[in-house]
Amino acid sequence: TTTDTGSIERRRLAEVLRRARSRTAGLTDAVSDSELRAQHSELMSPLVWDLAHIGNQEELWLIREVGRRAPIRADLDDLYDAFRHSRSSRPGLPILDPTQAREYTAAVRQHALEVLDSTPLTGDRLVDRGFAFAMIAQHEQQHDETMLATHQLRAGSAALTAPKPPVGNAVPGDEIVVPAGEFTMGTDTDPWALDNESPAHRVYLPTYAIDRFPVTNGQYVEFIADGGYQRQELWSARGWEHRVTADLTAPQFWERDSDGSWWRRAFGVRNPVRPSQPVVHVSFHEAEAFARWAGKRLPIEAEWEKAARFDPTTGRSGGRYPWGEDDPTSAQANLGQRHLEPADIGAYPDGASALGVEQMFGDVWEWTASDFTAYPEFAMFPYPEYSEVFFGGDYKMLRGGSFGTDPVAVRSTFRNWDHPIRRQIFSGFRLARDVA
Ligand code: AVJ
Ligand code: FE
């Protein structure tokens, strides 16, 4: 019955909201109040800004829009509007202190759960199948990943810990040939998909090959050793200019010892660079230069999505994940901050797509060659600042999620974007090429 479906959906929504809040608490309870207020990088907000912004966004959508309740703190809307204040200016604002921010987000959550209990999850598009609640859980998880990147930028000893990811012993370089033909890109049916993932539309792609795995540190070390950062001909004009200006010589957080060995600093711990792990913390420009060096290219978004979703035996495009609608298990993908680094290639054979492409979900966000544009007949929903205002901007698309992405915040249709110079995000890439 409708009631049963509604109560199952309500329980799922309460669970994704709870999971997001417990992660937020972990990320913000791990450091002192003064560190919560500090700006660890010009690129990032103080953690306490993210914390109260999460609460403010939840208040705007779940308390006021969906619940039609009176504001809790209308006076905070300006301070936590990401479009009014740049990240670098946020420490100078009269923002809530950590105790106030925790109290505020907790008060909002209490009201939000009451609204969830009393709202029919049908009819109006904003609430149909729980969309607004899922949107807010995704928003919190997106900021949790941003806060995780802030943790990675923070100086000092480790504040976060997690078990090591599973090991793998695959050999890089293996490719999958994807036969020419149409597939369905985007979705009209995923109840929790965000506006830029729709509408579903047919896309024809000629035959192409895509790597079975993301590019590894071992492969990347070869690129460096072969003069990859010195050879201008491998870089686009913009990429080279940035390479020189920013003095890029290796992925972010890599350090070289006097004996020539490479080390990587991650969350306050320094370890030897692990050759079998996907490379992380590279910009689009570095990914593009590597691809040229390797005689390949980055996939376009449609090629990534077809490799993730298309089943050549049925001719159909799959659901939320290659295996269906269920959240990934710990054997299928390195998602959800279970680990604090990418897993070796070959560690998740159970997460392979129908075409046999592995580790598309989790580990590292994968840069694609595509710019951020709307799908044909895109309709903004429910607010233009989620994606519409970014269309046509200086952004490249990323797909698949990282070890720091929660399962609720990624799916085969999910589209992420960032400036091509950014690399504080958990970004890597895989390669593709034309097949004649
Ligand atoms: C979709 C990850 C690019 O973090 O800038 C958070 C998500 N939008 N709050 C971002 C987002 C508004 C967004 N990304
Ligand atoms: Fe936000």
Side-chain angles (χ1 to χ4, degrees), residues 6-48:
S7 70
I8 291 165
E9 197 74 314
R10 270 197 192 83
R11 239 178 290 136
R12 279 184 66 214
L13 290 161
E15 164 55 22
V16 295
L17 287 166
R18 189 209 54 76
R19 191 166 82 217
R21 187 51 49 88
S22 100
R23 183 176 179 200
T24 303
L27 287 159
T28 50
D29 294 347
V31 297
S32 67
D33 279 12
S34 72
E35 280 211 51
L36 287 177
R37 282 191 216 97
Q39 186 156 45
H40 299 277
S41 156
E42 281 276 286
L43 292 176
M44 311 306 272
S45 316
L47 292 166
V48 71

Side-chain angles (χ1 to χ4, degrees), residues 71-129:
I72 299 170
R73 289 288 301 266
D75 60 310
L76 299 180
D77 294 358
D78 173 83
L79 284 173
Y80 295 103
D81 181 340
F83 287 83
R84 291 205 207 172
H85 309 283
S86 66
R87 282 183 175 178
S88 61
S89 73
R90 290 172 194 167
L93 300 173
I95 57 176
L96 298 183
D97 70 28
T99 303
Q100 294 168 325
R102 288 190 177 101
E103 284 169 4
Y104 171 59
T105 53
V108 172
R109 175 54 57 89
Q110 197 193 317
H111 285 267
L113 293 175
E114 288 168 18
V115 172
L116 175 61
D117 266 340
S118 56
T119 305
L121 302 180
T122 54
D124 187 294
R125 182 164 164 208
L126 190 59
V127 294
D128 189 43
R129 291 176 293 167

Side-chain angles (χ1 to χ4, degrees), residues 340-362:
L340 287 171
E341 58 190 308
D344 296 345
I345 59 166
Y348 292 97
D350 291 354
S353 73
L355 279 157
V357 187
E358 298 186 33
Q359 281 163 290
M360 300 198 83
F361 294 92

